[in-house]
Amino acid sequence: MSKKKEIAFWIVIGVLSVIITGFTLFYFDLANGPLICFILELNVIGAAITVRILLRHKKFVIRMIPTLAFVVSTAIILPLTKPAVEHKSAAYYSNPVPTEVLSLENGDIRGVLSKDKNVQIYAGIPYAKAPVGDLRWKEPQPVENWEGVRDCSYFAPRSMQPAGNAITNTLVDIYAAKGWHPDYMMHPEQDMSEDSLYLNIWRPNNDKTNLPILVFIHGGSLTTGSSAYEDYNGEQMAKQGVIMITITYRLGVFGYFAHEELTNESPNHTTGNYGLLDQIQALKWVKANAHCFGGDASRVTIAGESAGSSSVSALCTSPLTTGLFKYAIGESSSLVVKQAPHTFRKLEKAKETGEKIMKEFKCSSIEELRKVPASKLVNTKYSNSEMTLDGYALTKHPYKVYEDHENNELALLNGYNVMEADAFVVPHFLFSPTNKNNIKSRLINEFDEETGNKLYDLYKDKIDKDAFNTLNEIMSVYWFIHPHHSWSNMALAADTSVYRYQFTKENHYHSTYHAGEMIYAYGNVEKCKENWKYDDMDIKLSRQMIRYWSNFVKYGVPHYDPESSDLLPTWPCYSGAEGTTTIMELGVCVGPMKDKYEAVYPIIDEYIEKQLQNS
């Protein structure tokens, strides 16, 4: 080999080594798979490069051996980098201390204590029979009694949902954080099952009784999610003197599939709202068992975020939930608007989708479809991400229920974040970002020509400065903020006390994106292990927000706290009067703020009226 070729060889080897190693470092951090796979791949790279250098003077066929070995080894290792699936522990430390036995209406359970021994945790408690076999797509049935002491130290599996992609999820986190923070730790996924109707309880480790109860409903577009996410771990809420409960419910095709045959076989002539009926069954279970775990059945608050908040607004209007809760908390979604932009559909449309699914799986009857394995059915190509007016769980449109002053909650705390729509808009236009030249056409496509032009004119100055973020703001208002504006006004008109907020605190992670406030509201900022995400200001705000949330659960007023001498900034009751400062800002500043979107609401109202007239 000549000197020039030798120099070229070392340059090529160096560049390829850097590229391959860099790609490996990036890929394995994204994949969240077992650490052993990462170590093996680094060894394969090192061995391949070393052998290739040693064989640099050999024939071409010989020189290709390490390259081929590298390709084959990598092809074997990469498929093994998927995250492991685990039965998730309810404790966040090794060898957790068990609780004493707790007797419920259906049997005895034993959970675990928190690390500081101040909170009792009971996970994976069944509140209904497993909705499998003949019980698939039927109203939830009361849970049967069990013998012996049930181990409740692990969360039950999450409901059936399409398998997530770890690489995509990590890329989303990188976008949200505006930076890459590799950890090379394995991040296992929670196990999944059609048998998933369970709930989890966090309660103070003391002898107090008649404590208020908060029942939280997770989000995920009614198609994904878990009751075991760390962002709404209930440990800190329990330390505030509130029993926190998170529930799992049927999702997607298992929770919101609709079909005429199901209507006919149902004793209540219902279909399409099985996930919602699960939530109602969980509330019935809480009412029946509250005295067993020290709770007060007359002081229940329901809460939810995203699709969980849409569910809360539905539960506030269901005739089946009368007397099951007192207050409601809704975060970042509502159905209490004349035409909901998501999470709600007409029964006829739901049944049309049901027929398409029957054809997709080549089934001529519900009996046949019930025999399709859950692992196959979950991958249907048709979305089932909306509730419906089924005549049983929901007998009137939620907006109409409030209009008739028939809603169930006595007080409502609800609100939204600044950048609600970014996580939905940005991926849609990933390869064609919004700019000054295309934003008008995109507004017209999303709405109609008249509405698009009105919104363009209203936001003209902002569009000239930053069209990309302006479209995201407009969609945030349409999809999330306007529905809360409507919910607040309708609840106020129905003589319900209303407390409305906007979360504005930026940070180094999910910031004010959709769901960004949850880790603050439920007191889990300080539990976050990645210290680059949150700082002292975030911890301070989280401590304030969990007090607001827990005070509301206790008293129906977020700033009222007779048990503490440390006064919170007053959160004024929402008045609905235009131009008044009755929205609470939760951010660097905590206090009343002016609603920034008052000029947008009338345009959206006009658009909705036109849509209703046309339909």
Side-chain angles (χ1 to χ4, degrees):
M1 184 183 288
S2 67
K3 190 173 183 180
K4 287 184 178 180
K5 287 184 178 181
E6 185 81 14
I7 293 172
F9 170 81
W10 286 109
I11 291 173
V12 170
I13 282 290
V15 171
L16 286 177
S17 299
V18 170
I19 292 173
I20 293 172
T21 304
F23 173 80
T24 301
L25 290 171
F26 188 59
Y27 178 85
F28 276 85
D29 179 58
L30 296 183
N32 292 331
L35 188 60
I36 185 64
C37 291
F38 176 56
I39 295 172
L40 283 173
E41 182 66 12
L42 287 179
N43 285 327
V44 166
I45 293 172
I49 292 173
T50 301
V51 175
R52 178 65 183 83
I53 291 172
L54 294 174
L55 298 178
R56 65 185 184 279
H57 299 297
K58 302 294 182 180
K59 293 180 179 180
F60 176 78
V61 174
I62 302 298
R63 297 200 309 266
M64 286 301 295
I65 291 175
T67 302
L68 292 174
F70 165 73
V71 171
V72 171
S73 300
T74 300
I76 294 173
I77 294 172
L78 289 187
L80 302 177
T81 59
K82 292 182 179 180
V85 176
E86 70 170 10
H87 199 38
K88 190 172 183 179
S89 172
Y92 285 81
Y93 64 103
S94 301
N95 302 314
V97 177
T99 64
E100 297 293 326
V101 172
L102 178 67
S103 296
L104 300 173
E105 289 291 305
N106 300 108
D108 296 337
I109 61 173
R110 178 185 281 113
V112 291
L113 295 177
S114 60
K115 191 172 184 178
D116 61 10
K117 312 298 188 293
N118 290 325
V119 177
Q120 298 174 11
I121 308 167
Y122 303 92
I125 306 171
Y127 67 81
K129 286 183 182 179
V132 299
D134 291 340
L135 293 183
R136 182 187 282 180
W137 301 311
K138 285 189 177 179
E139 294 91 317
Q141 302 298 308
V143 66
E144 295 178 341
N145 296 342
W146 60 83
E147 298 293 331
V149 179
R150 188 183 185 97
D151 178 20
C152 289
S153 59
Y154 286 84
F155 292 106
R158 58 195 168 128
S159 291
M160 292 300 298
Q161 53 196 274
N165 185 295
I167 293 175
T168 301
N169 293 340
T170 309
L171 286 172
V172 170
D173 286 343
I174 289 173
Y175 171 80
K178 300 297 186 288
W180 180 35
H181 301 270
D183 61 13
Y184 300 105
M185 299 297 292
M186 183 178 72
H187 298 284
E189 294 180 342
Q190 185 185 1
D191 51 347
M192 183 167 56
S193 173
E194 191 176 1
D195 176 10
S196 63
L197 301 187
Y198 299 84
L199 52 78
N200 317 300
I201 299 175
W202 289 262
R203 68 176 305 279
N205 187 22
N206 55 42
D207 296 326
K208 290 185 178 180
T209 58
N210 296 321
L211 294 173
I213 302 168
L214 175 63
V215 179
F216 182 84
I217 304 167
H218 71 76
S221 302
L222 300 181
T223 57
T224 63
S226 167
S227 65
Y229 286 163
E230 286 84 351
D231 283 5
Y232 38 82
N233 176 287
E235 191 174 318
Q236 297 304 314
M237 190 63 73
K239 291 178 181 178
Q240 300 293 319
V242 172
I243 295 173
M244 183 159 173
I245 298 174
T246 61
I247 67 172
T248 303
Y249 56 100
R250 281 173 282 184
L251 300 169
V253 68
F254 302 94
Y256 300 94
F257 174 81
H259 197 273
E260 188 63 29
E261 191 176 330
L262 291 171
T263 303
N264 294 334
E265 74 173 31
S266 165
N268 302 297
H269 303 289
T270 180
T271 187
N273 279 338
Y274 304 103
L276 183 63
L277 290 169
D278 292 342
Q279 297 165 15
I280 295 170
Q281 179 63 26
L283 290 174
K284 290 178 179 177
W285 185 96
V286 169
K287 185 178 180 68
N289 285 273
H291 67 282
C292 300
F293 52 79
D296 185 344
S298 68
R299 300 170 68 198
V300 175
T301 297
I302 58 172
E305 186 274 338
S306 191
S309 182
S310 291
S311 298
V312 166
S313 65
L315 293 170
C316 285
T317 65
S318 173
L320 303 182
T321 62
T322 303
L324 294 182
F325 62 89
K326 189 174 185 180
Y327 306 133
I329 299 174
E331 304 170 45
S332 302
S333 275
S334 166
L335 300 183
V336 189
V337 59
K338 285 187 177 181
Q339 181 171 274
H342 52 76
T343 333
F344 196 76
R345 61 182 169 179
K346 292 181 179 180
L347 183 57
E348 293 77 12
K349 183 179 179 183
K351 288 182 178 179
E352 286 175 8
T353 302
E355 287 290 351
K356 292 177 182 178
I357 292 172
M358 292 281 281
K359 292 178 181 177
E360 179 185 10
F361 291 95
K362 298 178 174 60
C363 294
S364 59
S365 69
I366 291 296
E367 182 180 359
E368 288 183 21
L369 197 61
R370 283 192 173 116
K371 294 178 181 178
V372 175
S375 58
K376 184 177 180 181
L377 188 62
V378 73
N379 293 314
T380 173
K381 61 185 178 183
Y382 296 104
S383 173
N384 288 268
S385 58
E386 299 97 358
M387 289 168 272
T388 185
L389 201 64
D390 65 336
Y392 177 57
L394 298 176
T395 56
K396 292 182 183 180
H397 191 289
Y399 186 90
K400 178 64 175 173
V401 173
Y402 277 87
E403 196 171 50
D404 294 340
H405 298 190
E406 295 173 352
N407 52 303
N408 295 317
E409 82 281 15
L410 298 179
L412 171 66
L413 187 156
N414 79 114
Y416 39 83
N417 303 342
V418 176
M419 302 168 72
E420 288 281 6
D422 284 54
F424 307 96
V425 175
V426 172
H428 185 70
F429 295 119
L430 186 62
F431 300 106
S432 176
T434 301
N435 56 53
K436 289 188 290 185
N437 298 322
N438 61 26
I439 186 171
K440 181 181 281 190
S441 63
R442 290 183 175 178
L443 288 171
I444 291 172
N445 288 337
E446 180 63 37
F447 299 95
D448 57 33
E449 186 169 3
E450 181 183 9
T451 305
N453 284 326
K454 285 184 177 180
L455 290 169
Y456 181 85
D457 292 341
L458 177 65
Y459 276 93
K460 186 67 170 65
D461 292 340
K462 279 192 174 183
I463 288 171
D464 290 339
K465 296 176 182 177
D466 188 349
F468 179 87
N469 284 314
T470 301
L471 178 67
N472 296 345
E473 177 178 323
I474 292 171
M475 299 316 301
S476 292
V477 177
Y478 176 49
W479 286 339
F480 299 100
I481 298 173
H482 175 266
H484 276 281
H485 174 71
S486 176
W487 192 4
S488 296
N489 287 333
M490 295 306 293
L492 184 67
D495 297 324
T496 301
S497 299
V498 179
Y499 298 91
R500 183 172 161 192
Y501 72 85
Q502 181 167 26
F503 179 79
T504 62
K505 180 65 177 72
E506 296 183 1
N507 54 51
H508 299 295
Y509 189 45
H510 278 165
S511 194
T512 63
Y513 291 111
H514 189 65
E517 87 295 345
M518 280 197 296
I519 194 170
Y520 292 80
Y522 299 97
N524 291 303
V525 167
E526 291 178 79
K527 292 175 73 72
C528 181
K529 296 176 181 178
E530 295 90 349
N531 56 16
W532 57 268
K533 292 181 180 179
Y534 305 102
D535 57 26
D536 290 342
M537 286 294 294
D538 297 301
I539 292 173
K540 178 183 177 182
L541 177 60
S542 179
R543 290 175 178 176
Q544 288 179 304
M545 286 180 64
I546 194 172
R547 287 181 62 198
Y548 279 132
W549 261 241
S550 61
N551 288 341
F552 182 79
V553 175
K554 295 174 185 176
Y555 312 111
V557 180
H559 58 268
Y560 179 67
D561 190 359
E563 299 175 8
S564 175
S565 58
D566 183 14
L567 299 179
L568 286 165
T570 299
W571 186 326
C573 209
Y574 178 71
S575 69
E578 188 173 319
T580 59
T581 54
T582 55
I583 294 176
M584 193 70 168
E585 180 177 9
L586 300 172
V588 174
C589 296
V590 176
M593 67 177 289
K594 179 175 169 42
D595 187 347
K596 299 183 293 185
Y597 312 108
E598 286 183 340
V600 194
Y601 301 144
I603 299 175
I604 294 175
D605 285 332
E606 289 178 12
Y607 171 71
I608 290 175
E609 289 293 346
K610 282 191 294 181
Q611 293 296 105
L612 291 173
Q613 289 174 10
N614 292 336
S615 63

